[in-house]
Amino acid sequence: MKEPSNEPAIRLVMQPKFTNPDGDIFGGVILSMIDEAAAVEAQRQAHHRYVTVAMDSIQFHLPVHVGDIVSLWCRTVEVGRSSLKIHIDVLAHPRCSDDEKKVTEATVTMVAIDEQRRAVPVF
Ligand SMILES: CC(C)(COP(=O)(O)OP(=O)(O)OC[C@H]1O[C@@H](n2cnc3c(N)ncnc32)[C@H](O)[C@@H]1OP(=O)(O)O)[C@@H](O)C(=O)NCCC(=O)NCCS
């Protein structure tokens, strides 16, 4: 298993198209980014086709707003035979500020699969 990367898997500016009518970013947008970030981290660990089998313990700590720069930091916390458990911290900071805060965290399990969609060893 590789050590955690020293850069985020994803970094993105939150656009108005991601908001609810109150101007906050939809939780589902953050969940989608978490899923993508886990896929990036899984690929960094070992090259396979992966599927998401579980998203556990998702906690939304703080709201995210339009213009925030959101960074998703991943670390693989467990390696099974065909699965990787990946923890994702989502940090956000307003565009003109260094005041970065953890807004969401989650643990996602990705499974490596073959062309028949059968689970295969990661390593
Ligand atoms: C992932 C999938 C291939 C696993 O198939 P399966 O028949 O359960 O295969 P296995 O029993 O061999 O399990 C494979 C691994 O998944 C893990 N796993 C299965 N269900 C799990 C769950 N609910 N939570 C965490 N891990 C799970 C197993 O522990 C195993 O890990 P290991 O090999 O590291 O020990 C199958 O469940 C699947 O295709 N699911 C749909 C995934 C998908 O399409 N995701 C996107 C949804 S839009």
Side-chain angles (χ1 to χ4, degrees), residues 37-99:
V40 170
E41 168 62 11
Q43 280 298 338
R44 193 182 71 86
Q45 289 290 345
H47 299 311
H48 292 286
R49 179 177 176 185
Y50 289 92
V51 286
T52 310
V53 72
M55 297 182 89
D56 301 319
S57 70
I58 297 154
Q59 293 172 65
F60 294 101
H61 300 297
L62 289 167
V64 179
H65 304 289
V66 171
D68 286 358
I69 300 170
V70 171
S71 306
L72 288 89
W73 293 85
C74 297
R75 75 194 137 83
T76 297
V77 292
E78 211 176 294
V79 179
R81 189 189 81 91
S82 65
S83 68
L84 295 173
K85 191 171 274 196
I86 297 165
H87 187 85
I88 298 105
D89 285 322
V90 185
L91 306 184
H93 65 86
R95 260 177 304 182
C96 302
S97 162
D98 287 330
D99 187 22

